[in-house]
Amino acid sequence: MRGEPVTKGSYLHLLETKKHWLNPPALSTERYCTKVYKYVTSQVEFDFFPCYLVLTIRPGDIVQLPIWGLHHNPRHWPDPEAFIPDRFLPKNKGNISSFAHMPFGMGPKNCLAMRFALMEAKVALAKLLLGTEMELAQGHEEVTLERQGGLLRSKGLNIKIKPIVEE
């Protein structure tokens, strides 16, 4: 199996991107602050007095970024719980806010093995889909997720996999 059909413009690529958006490999990431940042909110009411809140992040502070929360925020994603892989089509990339989609982190501190992990997952899924018939085992029609060590994984998922036999 060649890599190009798996990585470029395929529906499998959209499904993989959507899967990592819906359930990112890590729920959050942290960054170490190296310089002073001040964030001023828009005007808010506090005891009936209009005011602005100022958040100051200083060198040495650790900032936690909630990846799962960003991926499920309706301010960035209309109907965030819906399974819509077409959101990630090249023509729709301009609709995605910067840093609203970062399943492997962003910038110089993102996951070094991201490309390898994505390729490996796509090849494994493609080979599985091409060579087997799959269905959820009886009593496992609903998938539940659990958090474990900062990661999100399925809980008690049983799938029946039968090889496709050519006659």
Side-chain angles (χ1 to χ4, degrees):
M1 177 181 285
R2 290 183 41 185
E4 191 172 312
V6 174
T7 58
K8 300 216 173 165
S10 70
Y11 199 69
L12 183 59
H13 175 72
L14 293 177
L15 291 175
E16 185 69 18
T17 303
K18 175 62 178 176
K19 180 212 148 296
H20 282 107
W21 172 79
L22 193 60
N23 299 309
L27 299 175
S28 65
T29 187
E30 294 177 343
R31 294 293 184 263
Y32 181 82
C33 186
T34 59
K35 63 181 185 178
V36 175
Y37 287 95
K38 284 194 179 194
Y39 175 76
V40 180
T41 66
S42 54
Q43 190 171 338
V44 295
E45 295 287 326
F46 183 71
D47 288 337
F48 303 107
F49 294 103
C51 63
Y52 295 90
L53 301 175
V54 178
L55 171 67
T56 303
I57 303 170
R58 293 180 174 76
D61 289 349
I62 296 175
V63 178
Q64 186 175 38
L65 305 169
I67 295 172
W68 190 93
L70 289 170
H71 289 189
H72 293 256
N73 187 333
R75 286 179 43 205
H76 300 294
W77 306 97
D79 201 7
E81 300 303 320
F83 189 79
I84 309 170
D86 292 356
R87 294 180 206 257
F88 299 101
L89 284 170
K91 68 179 182 181
N92 295 329
K93 293 246 178 186
N95 299 331
I96 299 173
S97 302
S98 298
F99 297 100
H101 179 247
M102 50 185 222
F104 291 93
M106 280 295 221
K109 300 275 185 173
N110 73 332
C111 177
L112 293 173
M114 174 180 65
R115 286 188 178 159
F116 176 73
L118 289 172
M119 175 60 82
E120 185 178 44
K122 288 175 192 173
V123 168
L125 182 59
K127 289 185 96 122
L128 189 64
L129 291 173
L130 290 171
T132 64
E133 291 179 4
M134 295 184 290
E135 62 183 64
L136 291 172
Q138 189 173 3
H140 293 270
E141 289 81 12
E142 224 175 276
V143 177
T144 57
L145 300 173
E146 68 180 357
R147 292 183 174 141
Q148 185 177 29
L151 301 175
L152 205 56
R153 64 183 210 127
S154 61
K155 180 180 179 181
L157 178 65
N158 288 330
I159 300 173
K160 289 185 193 176
I161 302 175
K162 294 185 273 183
I164 296 175
V165 180
E166 293 183 26
E167 296 178 17

